[in-house]
């Protein structure tokens, strides 16, 4: 959607740069994932350093000398730190942000120490794997993901990451919730694409939408005759083109799924009334396509 919004060419223009940017943007999502996972690792390292400093205090108390090491013994944090596949990818992507901008590690670490989550977790000196996992999940969900300073930092580093952040945060939570003591060695290194068809879909949707602009525009104009073109939001026009293109050219995607996806995107990026407008146009077209047998869907229940 963003690439089509910025695209000023026609059907005959070369759009290799746009396709390259699409793939780079998707790859950037994995970079953001690694950035946040490496942040968790650095926060845990900070906890370890903090205990070492406390033990070496000149006027150390009994509690300082024999601190509760439950946090640094947290099994999930240790799994992250020992995951060679994850660490290799972090190194390959040259993620050194938290060594250079370590104040963000300090901010999050202090917030964790001041939280009720931490106080409750540290009431005992031992824990089960489930308790360790629940703590890490809650820390990410309640302290890391909603942190405003971290949000501003990510915005400053890469503006497109702001759209990716909710998706990546959700993915990280799912991965943390599913981890087990015997999880496979690549548990924390997910595939960026579900399969090659997933990647191909992204490229094909961009290509087919650009290459069929004249036809798609005509379809939209035929169902918006009572609308002044200037009154239709640019984003709405793009989402309609993508939606129509998807319905006509991707036989394995159910019509209802297509419509619902674009309505959700409209709610997020366009005007308050956009989803109603888009739904009305697509609904009219679907009925017309069904009557003309233009929807060639494969599989049961895809209409």
């Amino acid at each position: 959607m963003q690439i089509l919004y910025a695209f000023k060419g026609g059907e005959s223009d070369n759009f290799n740069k746009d396709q390259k940017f699409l793939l780079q943007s998707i790859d950037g999502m994995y970079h953001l994932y690694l950035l946040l996972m490496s942040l968790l690792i650095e926060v845990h390292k900070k906890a370890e350093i903090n205990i070492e400093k406390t033990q070496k205090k000149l006027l150390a108390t009994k509690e300082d000398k024999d601190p509760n090491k439950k946090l640094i013994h947290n099994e999930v944090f240790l799994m992250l730190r020992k995951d060679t596949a994850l660490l290799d990818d972090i190194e390959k992507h040259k993620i050194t942000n938290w060594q250079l901008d370590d104040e963000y590690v300090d901010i999050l670490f202090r917030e964790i120490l001041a939280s009720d989550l931490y106080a409750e977790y540290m009431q005992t000196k031992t824990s089960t794997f489930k308790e360790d996992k629940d703590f890490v999940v809650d820390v990410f969900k309640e302290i890391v993901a909603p942190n405003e300073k971290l949000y501003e930092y990510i915005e400053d580093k890469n503006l497109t990451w702001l759209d990716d952040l909710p998706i990546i945060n959700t993915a990280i939570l799912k991965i943390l919730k599913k981890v087990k003591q015997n999880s496979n060695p690549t548990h924390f290194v997910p595939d960026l694409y579900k399969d090659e068809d997933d990647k191909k879909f992204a490229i094909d949707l961009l290509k087919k939408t650009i290459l069929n602009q004249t036809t798609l525009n005509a379809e939209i104009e035929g169902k918006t005759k009572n609308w002044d073109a200037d009154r239709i939001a640019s984003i709405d026009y793009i989402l309609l083109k993508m939606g129509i293109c998807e319905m006509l050219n991707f036989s394995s995607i159910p019509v209802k799924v297509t419509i619902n996806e674009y309505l959700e995107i409209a709610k997020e990026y366009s005007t308050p009334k956009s989803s109603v407008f888009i739904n009305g146009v697509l609904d009219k077209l679907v009925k017309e396509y069904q009557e003309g047998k233009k929807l060639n869907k494969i599989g049961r229940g895809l209409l």
Side-chain angles (χ1 to χ4, degrees), residues 222-237:
K223 291 293 171 286
T224 56
K225 290 178 180 178
N226 297 325
W227 285 76
D228 185 338
D230 293 336
R231 289 179 58 206
I232 302 175
S234 298
I235 292 293
D236 294 356
Y237 220 95

Side-chain angles (χ1 to χ4, degrees), residues 178-221:
K178 289 182 179 180
V179 69
K180 299 175 182 177
Q181 283 178 296
N182 60 346
S183 287
N184 67 63
T186 59
H187 178 80
F188 292 116
V189 185
D191 293 325
L192 182 58
Y193 300 96
K194 182 177 66 177
D195 49 38
E196 277 303 308
D197 288 341
D198 207 23
K199 182 177 181 179
K200 187 174 182 296
F201 166 73
I203 297 170
D204 286 350
L205 180 59
L206 178 66
K207 278 184 178 180
K208 291 178 186 296
T209 304
I210 290 175
L211 292 173
N212 293 285
Q213 287 186 80
T214 302
T215 301
L216 296 171
N217 287 338
E219 293 283 7
I220 296 168
E221 288 165 9

Side-chain angles (χ1 to χ4, degrees), residues 75-76 127-136 181:
E75 290 189 68
V76 175
S127 61
T128 63
F129 183 83
K130 183 180 183 305
E131 187 181 354
D132 284 347
K133 179 172 73 172
D134 289 345
F135 176 72
V136 177
Q181 283 178 296

Side-chain angles (χ1 to χ4, degrees), residues 32-45:
L32 177 58
Y33 169 82
L34 293 173
L35 183 70
L36 293 175
M37 293 302 270
S38 67
L39 178 57
L40 289 178
I41 291 172
E42 293 305 318
V43 166
H44 188 251
K45 287 181 182 178

